Amino acid sequence: IENGWQGEIINQRKDGSMFPISLSTTVVQNEKGEILGMVGVATDITERKQFEEELQAKEAHLSTLIRTIPDLIWVKDVNGIYLTCNKMFENFFGATAEEIIGKTDYDFVDKELADFFRMHDLNAVNAGKPTSNEEWVTFATDKHRALLETIKTPMFDSKGALIGILGIGRDITGRKLAEERLKQSEAQYRNLIETMPDG
């Protein structure tokens, strides 16, 4: 090891138990450049490793939860570039998350719809709070149309700077159709009552 070494290794305690350490070694030379020895600094990183494992487990749990939620979920940065999305959103664009991340709406839908999405992103940003709207969309995977109730929420860092926009889209097609059927039934009932003879 000409210039020393730095990395993580597993070490053994006196009781035989194993634990991770961060090890950094430096080669010590005299004035002539002859190697005299090596100095090493070892740090017990057991707690850090446990924290990293817990964090990874929580992230995996959250990722699984987000991917299995039946709503469309996505996050964009301030410029409208996708940072992440779930499975339902993949179905909307007909692309994988890997293909979506780093791109914008203009890469997947026509300009008119992309402009519509961008306008509502900016509405949420300007409002500084969650905003909602309804929009008809066509899913790329099977071409079915759905009415989405979309909530867009601006996201801020700890210093209050805008870092992105969280979007959640819920399919309310069935509810809307049921409301329309109910309105039609009520209208038919009123017509029936109005046309009934008195007495």
Side-chain angles (χ1 to χ4, degrees), residues 30 37 69-70 72 109 146 164-165:
N30 62 17
I69 288 175
L72 287 76
V109 297
I165 301 152

Side-chain angles (χ1 to χ4, degrees), residues 66-83:
I66 288 173
R67 290 188 68 79
T68 55
I69 288 175
D71 296 336
L72 287 76
I73 299 176
W74 65 94
V75 177
K76 300 176 187 175
D77 71 7
V78 292
N79 298 311
I81 296 171
Y82 283 96
L83 301 176

